[in-house]
Amino acid sequence: MHRQAIVTGASEGIGRALAVQLAARGYRVLAVARNAEALRQLQMELPGDGHGMLMADLATNDGVEALVARTKEAHVHLFVNNAGVGLVGGFCKPSIASHVHLIDLNITALTRLSHEFMQQAQPGDALVNVASILSFAPQPSQPVYAATKAFVGSLTESLWLEAQSLGVHVLSVAPGPTATKFGEHAGRASGWRRAGWSLSTPEDIAQATLHALDRKRGPHLVPGVLNKLFTLLTRLVSRKRLVKLMARVS
């Protein structure tokens, strides 16, 4: 019997890498994203058969409801809440509509879909919520994004404990800088680049995530040595000093 996995935000980046690696492990993957062409391309490249795709904007109620309906068609063994968006520009400059859209996707959709998954989860199933290393620190250049990821990390840690009695594994993944188009989508300047040595690849993040699931590690995973050192730093300095430091490095 094939195990079923749902991956949101699967058209590119970490979500795409997870979909490919899960399919290689024998999962039947339902890939969810807004970009229909990218989803069709992904579906052709996934190893194995029985995979599906759903074009949906999870920042909308209709998009979430469409995915909820698909979760009821067959038992879901693994659900990956990877869909998310960033927004660079501080708090006052972007429109409130932009902030609300970010919250709708990063928090509301993730919470609803996590709850829906947990209602049908059975022993041995797993939920993965993708947070960020910014869940450990405020970020003045993108304050609402960092706050949403702090929510994701905190919620997922609590779910990790609650789900243990059900035999369900829950994991929060907190990637650091990764070689994706995330910064471009978030509105960073076109000439802005990170040093290559500081970037993880989506494939590395996906591999580390599946490795952590295999070994039932949790409640959170911070892939990469530099990212682990960063999270350690956030515990060693005062919040006042941390937010000022984050403002300088952003």
Side-chain angles (χ1 to χ4, degrees):
M1 176 182 174
H2 287 280
R3 294 173 66 80
Q4 306 288 331
I6 292 178
V7 181
T8 69
S11 59
E12 61 182 52
I14 294 171
R16 193 181 199 283
L18 278 166
V20 170
Q21 293 188 25
L22 285 168
R25 286 176 168 228
Y27 279 87
R28 284 183 172 168
V29 177
L30 175 63
V32 185
R34 293 183 300 168
N35 189 325
E37 181 57 35
L39 284 175
R40 283 191 287 268
Q41 183 64 37
L42 171 63
Q43 192 170 23
M44 289 189 294
E45 296 177 12
L46 291 179
D49 54 17
H51 307 300
M53 54 176 273
L54 175 65
M55 186 179 70
D57 183 355
L58 298 180
T60 68
N61 183 66
D62 288 346
V64 174
E65 289 296 334
L67 181 50
V68 167
R70 292 292 292 269
T71 66
K72 298 182 184 299
E73 294 178 3
H75 180 72
V76 180
H77 300 86
L78 171 62
F79 197 105
V80 181
N81 272 310
N82 170 72
V85 65
L87 181 62
V88 174
F91 182 72
C92 296
K93 184 177 179 180
S95 68
I96 188 60
S98 298
H99 290 312
V100 171
H101 175 269
L102 187 151
I103 292 168
D104 286 342
L105 179 58
N106 292 12
I107 291 181
T108 305
L110 178 141
T111 302
R112 291 179 62 186
L113 294 169
S114 295
H115 190 271
E116 187 67 30
F117 171 78
M118 293 301 296
Q119 299 306 302
Q120 59 96 68
Q122 299 174 2
D125 293 345
L127 170 67
V128 175
N129 288 335
V130 178
S132 164
I133 58 168
L134 291 184
S135 63
F136 299 96
Q139 176 54 282
S141 70
Q142 40 186 336
V144 177
Y145 171 75
T148 64
K149 291 306 182 178
F151 174 92
V152 172
S154 178
L155 172 67
T156 309
E157 288 185 352
S158 294
L159 294 182
W160 169 80
L161 184 62
E162 180 177 346
Q164 286 184 342
S165 63
L166 305 175
V168 176
H169 186 56
V170 176
L171 178 67
S172 171
V173 180
T178 307
T180 69
K181 295 181 179 179
F182 177 83
E184 176 183 333
H185 296 325
R188 285 205 182 277
S190 58
W192 192 90
R193 294 288 184 275
R194 288 187 184 274
W197 58 265
S198 68
L199 296 173
S200 300
T201 68
E203 292 73 22
D204 288 341
I205 302 299
Q207 185 176 22
T209 298
L210 298 184
H211 184 79
L213 285 176
D214 289 341
R215 286 154 181 76
K216 298 293 188 293
R217 292 180 179 171
H220 63 256
L221 166 70
V222 180
V225 174
L226 290 178
N227 299 324
K228 288 181 173 67
L229 290 174
F230 171 81
T231 59
L232 175 62
L233 174 66
T234 66
R235 302 187 188 103
L236 297 178
V237 302
S238 69
R239 298 297 288 184
K240 180 178 180 179
R241 180 170 296 180
L242 180 61
V243 70
K244 290 182 176 180
L245 176 63
M246 294 301 293
R248 291 179 63 185
V249 301
S250 66

